[in-house]
Amino acid sequence: MATPCCDAADGAHRPSQGGDTAFVRLLLSSHRRLTGRSLCPSGFADTGEAVRWLYEAAPFGLLAHGTGPDPVFVYANTTAQKCFEYGWAEFVRLPSRLSAVLEVQGDREAFVRSVTERGFASGYRGLRVAKSGRSFWIEDVTMWNLADDDGAYHGQAAVFQSWTDVREG
């Protein structure tokens, strides 16, 4: 399932349809180094198994954006794609700020800045908007900086454990 990736005009590493082993290694190693926890269940035989599980079967949403001045998503697993109602090709063209409703983009930006400064943060809850305009809360969010073993910064990733539609009324 591993496929070649390409580099975007903004310098961001863009995995191909969730199947880039090197990118998943970056996700996993950065998360473990900063949080002390694994994103995957123990016992995976290889990274290829982790690539498939994170993209296709993980029970949480997993997103990542690159490093540009207006960072664009470079990864979204199928759980995140379903929540936000975007397919892969749409997601990897979407500036990450547009995942939040306009009224809370300032709160989202403050959270992103705090992660940039501290390396990671947990416990965030944020209001988001799907392609259809449906609003929902992402909850129990952990966000972390994507940095390789040499400390080079590649963007940020976030995992959200649960989500709840906003009820009208």
Side-chain angles (χ1 to χ4, degrees), residues 16-139:
S16 299
Q17 190 72 25
D20 184 342
T21 302
F23 187 77
V24 169
R25 278 192 187 115
L26 176 65
L27 279 171
L28 295 172
S29 65
S30 295
H31 185 269
R32 180 176 289 285
R33 186 171 43 255
L34 290 164
T35 70
R37 298 183 315 265
S38 177
L39 273 176
C40 293
S42 61
F44 278 146
D46 61 28
T47 305
E49 190 176 6
V51 168
R52 285 184 296 281
W53 185 82
L54 284 171
Y55 185 73
E56 298 171 4
F60 49 76
L62 179 60
L63 303 162
H65 66 227
T67 60
D70 189 10
V72 173
F73 285 113
V74 296
Y75 183 90
N77 71 358
T78 56
T79 299
Q81 290 175 41
K82 288 175 188 172
C83 287
F84 284 90
E85 303 171 356
Y86 289 104
W88 176 268
E90 294 171 300
F91 235 124
V92 297
R93 291 191 312 260
L94 182 69
S96 60
R97 68 179 162 77
L98 296 180
S99 66
V101 295
L102 185 59
E103 297 80 23
V104 299
Q105 283 185 7
D107 292 339
R108 179 202 161 274
E109 184 57 33
F111 181 63
V112 169
R113 274 194 313 274
S114 76
V115 170
T116 301
E117 295 166 4
R118 295 184 181 111
F120 85 99
S122 292
Y124 175 76
R125 179 179 190 243
L127 190 59
R128 295 297 181 264
V129 63
K131 181 180 174 181
S132 67
R134 172 184 55 84
S135 294
F136 62 100
W137 293 99
I138 55 172
E139 299 158 327

